[in-house]
């Protein structure tokens, strides 16, 4: 762990924390992966013809799901690095995500399209079987804001499939359709029906992605446009060892999808509720999710922060511990806040150093914790958990 922490601390110097020139938009950087393998990446556009879009069924009679697959690569020479976001998505990000979801972020002065990942587009996959991890992001967040953790896990030998659920994601770039922005008219934080609908949709999307990955592992191409897949990718998927992790409502999705789908062997909930919103003001708490009400026979890590802890979290998480004390582990990150589990965990300090974010805004977003502490601790904790159970 010391070596990885030292590597990350050194990378902060490479990132640069200086103030951006007024004429030059600031470019945030992502910490480099710490595992032994180079990382390849490809996108899959998946279409579920068995159900319509839940948000606009008349406009979208079939369900689109966008995914990004990060994987250990055999050789990355000659394969370009991927950007964190597509140019089209990055153009919409400050208008939609920053404006409506993350008011602490800079309103201007950031070149979101210029942030590069450390993954190489289309590189051939390593010719061995690797465990598969699914990732579900936070409420309204695009899957791209989980790039850092996904890359790090891929560099350690996992295949990570990050999932976007169009319609409740602030922006998602879909081949042939352009960028679809969020369709929700109320927030899952206050609307019980919207919370239930998002969770139900994400679980269905996740199980459909699992079906599509099984198709891929059997040698077929599930991509809607039948785009060429990286060499060796289908043979690299070990569908007998599948885990899932998610942030916020994505963490709720991870825990509940594991409960409903026996193909998933272990789950990490990064600060997601384990109950529904109350249906009436007279209720103190909502009904527990089935996983918390009934318990689980598979390993579940509940990983939270001290800054975002609420009675509602304790209600669901304590119920989970009571039902499955031998299968459930709880860990908390101190001096931290909710969005430290996303790429903002490393970016916020850069924004503050560049004069684009105040200390108060940073604390609201990720807490006072330094990224050289938070990033290795999160990455190592998640990797160690799946290393034990997959």
């Amino acid at each position: 762990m010391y070596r990885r922490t030292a590597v990350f601390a050194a990378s902060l110097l490479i990132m640069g924390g200086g103030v951006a020139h007024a004429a030059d938009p600031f470019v945030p950087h992502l910490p480099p992966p710490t595992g032994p393998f180079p990382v390849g990446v490809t996108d899959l556009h998946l279409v579920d013809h068995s159900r319509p879009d839940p948000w606009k069924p008349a406009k979208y009679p079939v369900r689109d799901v966008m995914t990004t697959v990060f994987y250990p690569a055999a050789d990355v020479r000659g394969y370009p690095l991927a950007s964190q976001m597509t140019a089209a998505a990055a153009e919409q990000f400050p208008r939609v995500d920053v404006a409506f979801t993350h008011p602490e972020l800079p309103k201007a002065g950031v070149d979101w399209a210029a942030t590069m990942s450390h993954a190489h587009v289309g590189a051939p996959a390593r010719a061995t079987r690797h465990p598969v991890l699914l990732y579900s992001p936070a409420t309204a967040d695009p899957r791209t804001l989980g790039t850092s953790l996904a890359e790090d896990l891929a560099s350690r030998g996992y295949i990570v499939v990050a999932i976007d659920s169009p319609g409740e994601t602030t922006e998602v770039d879909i081949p042939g359709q352009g960028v679809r922005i969020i369709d929700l008219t109320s927030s899952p934080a206050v609307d019980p029906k919207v919370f239930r609908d998002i969770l139900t949709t994400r679980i269905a999307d996740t199980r459909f992605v699992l079906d599509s990955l099984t198709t891929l592992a059997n040698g077929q191409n599930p991509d809607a446009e039948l785009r060429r897949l990286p060499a060796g990718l289908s043979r690299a998927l070990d569908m007998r060892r599948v885990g899932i992790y998610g942030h916020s409502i994505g963490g709720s999705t991870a825990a509940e999808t594991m409960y409903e789908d026996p193909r998933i062997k272990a789950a990490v909930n990064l600060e997601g509720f384990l109950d529904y919103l109350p249906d009436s003001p007279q209720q103190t708490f909502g009904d527990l999710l089935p996983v918390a009400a009934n318990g689980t026979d598979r390993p579940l890590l509940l990983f939270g922060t001290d800054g975002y802890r609420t009675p509602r979290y304790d209600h669901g998480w304590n119920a989970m511990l009571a039902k499955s004390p031998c299968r459930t582990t709880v860990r908390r990150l101190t001096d931290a806040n909710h969005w430290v589990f996303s790429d903002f965990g490393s970016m916020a300090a850069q924004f503050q150093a560049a004069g684009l974010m105040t200390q108060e805004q940073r604390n609201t977003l990720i807490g006072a914790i330094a990224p050289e502490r938070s990033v290795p601790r999160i990455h190592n904790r998640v990797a160690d958990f799946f290393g034990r159970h997959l």
Side-chain angles (χ1 to χ4, degrees):
M1 181 176 291
Y2 172 79
R3 185 188 67 81
R4 289 170 178 158
T5 303
V7 168
F8 180 76
S11 75
L12 292 179
L13 299 176
I14 299 172
M15 287 180 188
V19 176
H21 296 292
D24 299 326
F26 182 78
V27 179
H29 293 77
L30 299 174
T34 59
F37 305 120
V39 179
V41 67
T42 192
D43 287 340
L44 291 176
H45 174 206
L46 307 174
V47 179
D48 187 351
H49 293 275
S50 70
R51 58 192 172 110
D53 183 86
W55 312 112
K56 288 189 173 180
K59 185 174 182 180
Y60 304 105
V62 295
R63 177 61 173 162
D64 294 289
V65 181
M66 283 302 300
T67 69
T68 297
V69 183
F70 300 88
Y71 54 91
D75 184 8
V76 297
R77 290 172 296 181
Y79 294 89
L81 288 175
S83 57
Q84 181 188 26
M85 305 179 190
T86 67
E91 183 179 359
Q92 295 296 328
F93 184 79
R95 187 176 73 84
V96 184
D97 198 287
V98 173
F100 297 105
T101 309
H102 298 296
E104 303 86 5
L105 292 175
K107 307 298 185 294
V110 179
D111 188 351
W112 296 100
T115 296
M116 303 303 293
S117 74
H118 301 88
H120 298 258
V121 180
R126 291 186 74 240
T128 55
R129 296 283 184 181
H130 298 277
V132 176
L133 302 178
L134 308 173
Y135 166 64
S136 184
T139 305
D141 273 356
R143 68 192 190 280
T144 51
L145 291 182
T147 296
S148 175
L149 177 54
E151 287 185 330
D152 192 67
L153 290 167
S155 77
R156 302 188 194 207
Y158 296 91
I159 295 177
V160 182
V161 183
I163 304 170
D164 262 339
S165 292
E168 53 100 346
T169 300
T170 49
E171 73 286 326
V172 53
D173 197 353
I174 304 175
Q177 299 180 29
V179 178
R180 179 177 173 182
I181 62 173
I182 193 167
D183 293 315
L184 300 183
T185 56
S186 60
S187 168
V190 297
D191 189 323
K193 183 179 185 303
V194 171
F195 183 91
R196 285 179 180 267
D197 288 347
I198 288 177
L199 188 59
T200 299
T201 299
R202 287 202 182 197
I203 292 170
D205 287 347
T206 303
R207 300 187 73 174
F208 168 63
V209 169
L210 261 180
D211 294 340
S212 301
L213 293 175
T214 301
T215 298
L216 176 57
N218 290 333
Q220 298 171 273
N221 187 349
D223 184 75
E225 287 72 38
L226 295 178
R227 291 171 294 183
R228 184 176 180 180
L229 299 175
L233 181 60
S234 63
R235 296 188 300 276
L237 295 159
D238 188 347
M239 300 305 296
R240 299 167 301 175
R241 294 185 289 164
V242 177
I244 185 171
Y245 69 99
H247 176 212
S248 197
I249 203 169
S252 310
T253 301
E256 187 59 26
T257 305
M258 181 179 71
Y259 175 79
E260 297 185 17
D261 197 316
R263 292 175 293 182
I264 298 175
K265 308 305 181 185
V268 175
N269 175 352
L270 301 172
E271 207 156 59
F273 293 115
L274 290 177
D275 63 355
Y276 298 103
L277 283 169
D279 292 319
S280 71
Q282 287 72 39
Q283 290 179 271
T284 302
F285 300 113
D287 295 335
L288 292 170
L289 300 186
V291 66
N294 301 315
T296 177
D297 59 354
R298 281 158 285 165
L300 172 64
L301 171 62
L302 304 177
F303 197 1
T305 66
D306 60 345
Y308 207 71
R309 185 171 182 175
T310 66
R312 184 183 172 192
Y313 274 106
D314 288 342
H315 169 64
W317 287 26
N318 289 341
M320 190 75 241
L321 278 169
K323 282 293 182 179
S324 303
C326 297
R327 289 294 183 178
T328 305
T329 304
V330 176
R331 295 289 183 268
R332 294 196 187 274
L333 202 61
T334 56
D335 298 322
N337 216 328
H338 190 57
W339 304 102
V340 74
F341 293 111
S342 72
D343 288 338
F344 299 139
S346 62
M347 288 180 172
Q350 299 173 55
F351 293 141
Q352 184 183 5
L356 297 171
M357 177 178 284
T358 66
Q359 181 69 56
E360 181 180 5
Q361 290 170 327
R362 169 182 168 167
N363 289 351
T364 300
L365 190 67
I366 68 160
I369 190 169
E372 57 263 37
R373 279 186 59 223
S374 64
V375 173
R377 290 189 180 191
I378 293 168
H379 290 189
N380 291 338
R381 178 73 68 183
V382 174
D384 291 347
F385 174 83
F386 285 123
R388 289 195 306 273
H389 299 297
L390 294 183

